[in-house]
Amino acid sequence: MAPISQKTESLTATSLRSLMELASLVNSSLDPAEVRRLAVEAVPRCVGADAASLLLLDDETGELYFEAASGVKGQCLKEVRLRPGEGIAGWVARKGGAVIVDDVNSDHRFAADVDRFTGYETRNMIVAPVATKEKVWGVLQVLNKQSGNFTDDDLELVQALADQVAIAIENASMYQEMRLTFLGVTTALAEALEQRDPYTGGHTRRVHEYSVLIASHLGLPQDEMDTLRLAAIMHDIGKIGVSDQVLRKPGRLNEEEFREMSRHPEAGVDIIEHLPQLARVVPGVLYHHEQYDGTGYPHKRQAEDIPLHARIIAVADAFDAMTSDRPYRKALGIDAAFAELERCSGQQFDPQLVGIFKQAWLSGELQLSTKEE
């Protein structure tokens, strides 16, 4: 956890303890949305307020928008944007420094239109900038002290938490940027490998999309989803060790050629295991050619003994192979490919995952998720 600001020195022991607890919560996640949610849920309890909201700065327009808000009217605020400098929030974002406003209706800076839009009645508030040395991220608002007015101790506590929120948002944003960069570089490398085989262009991207589509119905946490993404992207990386004669053969493989090709999962692990950070990706890469009935390779695992990520990739990989042209056959149609997946359910594929994939495909979820990305 980042160090607490020196502004906390005058806080009471109780307030400081509360701040430490709240800062620990806010810094416990690298998910930016979770960081923002935790902040607005935590701070009202700490200072005895009715509600809080976090407004972030739109770098392109200079407007403030409500990213997260607590209280019964919080959801309404998602539609509200404040022009540059508008409201007490806009003033603080521009000028800096936390402020207490004991009576918002007597303050000319107050954006009364927001209350009229939401039906919420703001009486008093604390507004603190959410900023690091490098950037102003937005402001943190705390609304309506439940008894009396906000105090100087409340002001210091809210500003100290806002400082922590700024650091947490910056760290989470940096993590997200690095995560997306790593996924992008890994995808580029995998797609570069595909260039060796003119018949598999786009295979990596499609297997990744199909795998994520299946996994999205299983309620996996974000770190598991990230691991699956990497495993799907890297599932064929071991083919770098397969000869061009085998990889690009315009026909079915003979027994010896198939043995060479079937070594690619273990060859992929040989590459990946040099990076300890990718250890969690190994099961999906190593076992994606295992079959549900235990007749696959390399270790003849079966059913639940096959790691979940590998079972997901197996369905996605087979579907893309069937729906793509090969030198020795034309691509199957979508209906025929799903019929084949269902025929092989319980033998080659996990039946539950096949059912999830078909239902998600038929409901158009793949097209929706692709548009969102």
Side-chain angles (χ1 to χ4, degrees), residues 253-323:
L253 304 180
N254 61 36
E255 186 175 341
E256 182 180 346
E257 291 166 339
F258 178 77
R259 279 199 299 271
E260 179 181 347
M261 180 68 82
S262 65
R263 287 194 288 269
H264 80 267
E266 293 172 300
V269 172
D270 289 341
I271 296 169
I272 292 170
E273 66 183 3
H274 291 291
L275 296 170
Q277 299 88 341
L278 293 180
R280 66 191 190 281
V281 176
V282 166
V285 173
L286 180 59
Y287 298 116
H288 73 277
H289 279 294
E290 298 287 2
Q291 298 193 12
Y292 205 72
D293 64 0
T295 60
Y297 62 86
H299 296 150
K300 297 192 180 301
R301 290 197 175 196
Q302 65 182 49
E304 302 296 321
D305 287 337
I306 305 170
L308 175 60
H309 292 176
R311 282 181 275 141
I312 291 171
I313 294 169
V315 173
D317 191 29
F319 182 79
D320 185 64
M322 288 188 287
T323 54

Side-chain angles (χ1 to χ4, degrees), residues 220-233:
L220 301 183
Q222 185 62 55
D223 60 340
E224 282 244 14
M225 289 294 289
D226 283 348
T227 299
L228 173 66
R229 287 178 182 274
L230 283 170
I233 290 168

Side-chain angles (χ1 to χ4, degrees), residues 45 54 81 137 213 239-240 338 343:
R45 297 195 302 269
L54 177 66
R81 294 176 77 92
W137 294 92
L213 179 62
K239 286 184 177 179
I240 196 170
F338 275 117
R343 186 183 70 82

Side-chain angles (χ1 to χ4, degrees), residues 199-203 206 210 318-327 329-332:
Y199 299 103
T200 58
H203 174 71
R206 292 189 297 270
Y210 301 160
F319 182 79
D320 185 64
M322 288 188 287
T323 54
S324 301
D325 285 332
R326 290 291 185 267
R329 62 153 176 80
K330 283 291 190 180
L332 294 180

Side-chain angles (χ1 to χ4, degrees), residues 10 66 108 168 287:
S10 65
F66 287 84
H108 70 278
Y287 298 116

Side-chain angles (χ1 to χ4, degrees), residues 15 49 66 134 136 145 206 210-211 272 284 334 336 363:
S15 295
F66 287 84
E134 291 75 22
V136 176
K145 183 78 170 179
R206 292 189 297 270
Y210 301 160
S211 297
I272 292 170
I334 298 299
S363 64

